[in-house]
Amino acid sequence: SREVGIDSVLRTSKSLGVRTPLERYPTTALGASAVNLLELANAYRAMASGVVAEPYVIKAIVRDSGEVVADARRGPVPASIEVEALSLIQEGLRGVVRLPGGTAHALASRDFAIPVMGKTGTTSEFRDAIFVGSTFGPSGITAAVRIGFDDNRSLGSRETGGRLALPVFQALMLGVYRDRIMGAAPQFPA
């Protein structure tokens, strides 16, 4: 991040939907600043799809008459990242899965034939185990899994994102695509 510059990292994170104020440390580029899980998932969705959309819990409030009282739906806007840079980010996050040394290489097995990109994460002192992953494009989906205690105590000395959170992501994606809830899994470009 020294070559790119921390200000560039902070601007890019904002353009991907991160609203949490981030620390101006070089290690922020590696995930050293805390971000809420919904913002993290939304940023990964933007990287996988090339568009930024505001997440919402309630789509709309509609009266019995059909009158829309409130509408939270906003159309997605293209991510303000160059296509070439976006494809390099996607390939890097695909490498976490595809490369034998990748922390999510367990997702490259024959039993999991869904092309995904993602990233494992483990917070200090093994307090949280995280995995965020996405299938490709606007028709793909993103899931963020966090395993941790509400009182912030340690999960244990070897309880990492790859060990705890990744299997939950894997089971979720297998269910979603096996049961055709989202149709067929989209393929990443060659």
Side-chain angles (χ1 to χ4, degrees), residues 20-170:
T20 302
L22 302 176
E23 300 294 333
R24 294 193 78 251
Y25 304 133
T27 53
T28 291
L30 301 173
S33 290
V35 174
N36 85 43
L37 200 58
L38 183 59
E39 285 183 358
L40 187 61
N42 198 42
Y44 274 75
R45 176 85 306 257
M47 289 184 283
S49 67
V51 295
V52 179
E54 279 297 316
Y56 50 83
V57 176
I58 298 172
K59 277 185 171 182
I61 300 171
V62 182
R63 292 200 168 110
D64 287 343
S65 65
E67 176 191 0
V68 176
V69 177
D71 188 351
R73 293 174 286 195
R74 296 183 197 118
V77 296
S80 60
I81 300 175
E82 294 178 20
V83 175
E84 296 82 14
L86 197 56
S87 94
L88 288 173
I89 292 168
Q90 291 166 350
E91 186 54 33
L93 293 170
R94 285 277 295 135
V96 172
V97 174
R98 292 185 328 156
L99 299 175
T103 56
H105 187 61
L107 295 176
S109 76
R110 288 191 177 129
D111 296 332
F112 189 80
I114 301 165
V116 295
M117 60 179 239
K119 183 73 179 80
T120 60
T122 308
T123 60
S124 299
E125 298 175 25
F126 299 93
R127 288 190 178 115
D128 297 288
I130 299 166
F131 184 80
V132 184
S134 293
T135 52
F136 179 73
S139 64
I141 62 171
T142 298
V145 178
R146 178 234 172 216
I147 308 286
F149 292 109
D150 290 342
D151 64 4
N152 208 25
R153 71 180 184 266
S154 178
L155 293 164
S157 64
R158 290 188 305 207
E159 306 304 345
T160 64
R163 184 174 155 102
L164 293 180
L166 185 142
V168 175
F169 171 85
Q170 184 175 18

